[in-house]
Amino acid sequence: MEEKSPWQRREETERDNLADSLERLFTDVSAMVKGDLQGTNNQLLLLEKMNDMVAKEYSGYGDVASGLRVFVEQLNEKSRSFDDYVSQIDAIDQQVKDFEAVVSMLDNYVAQLEKKVQSVCHSLPS
């Protein structure tokens, strides 16, 4: 076996050091990429869970909206049943206004009559 020169030994040592450094570099880069991908995966899982929660929340709102729609339809039906009463109330209100106008005219007429009676009573010789 041939003995290696110090130069060759140094060159082999440098190659071994370079190989070790490259192996550590690739291992570290691989770990960094793996960690980055794991972080992205975790974010996607969180987003998926958030989407599921929002979907459940909004499905409940759909049920509420459907219930409200039925309630509004029932209120509209009841409102329509009161339309006759509302028209009767409007007619009564108009009659009351007309009656108040007649009462006001009668009140004015009575006031005028009272004045005439008083003037006649004062003008009579006592």
Side-chain angles (χ1 to χ4, degrees), residues 4-68:
K4 296 182 180 177
S5 69
W7 204 84
Q8 286 175 334
R9 277 185 267 152
R10 183 173 176 214
E11 191 175 282
E12 284 180 3
T13 304
E14 286 179 359
R15 273 192 215 143
D16 288 343
N17 287 341
L18 179 62
D20 289 343
S21 294
L22 286 175
E23 184 179 342
R24 279 195 312 271
L25 173 69
F26 289 135
T27 301
D28 292 345
V29 168
S30 173
M32 181 186 74
V33 168
K34 184 178 178 182
D36 192 31
L37 290 175
Q38 184 62 43
T40 301
N41 190 37
N42 290 341
Q43 287 176 346
L44 291 174
L45 288 173
L46 177 63
L47 183 62
E48 181 182 8
K49 288 178 182 177
M50 289 170 61
N51 282 338
D52 289 342
M53 293 296 293
V54 169
K56 288 178 186 174
E57 181 74 21
Y58 282 122
S59 73
Y61 287 140
D63 295 340
V64 169
S66 177
L68 285 175

Side-chain angles (χ1 to χ4, degrees), residues 5 22 27 58-59 70 77 89 92 94 100-101 106 113:
S5 69
L22 286 175
T27 301
Y58 282 122
S59 73
V70 170
E77 287 176 22
I89 289 171
I92 292 170
Q94 185 59 45
E100 286 174 345
L106 285 174
L113 280 177

Side-chain angles (χ1 to χ4, degrees), residues 98-108:
D98 294 343
F99 183 69
E100 286 174 345
V102 168
V103 168
S104 177
M105 286 176 23
L106 285 174
D107 190 42
N108 288 336

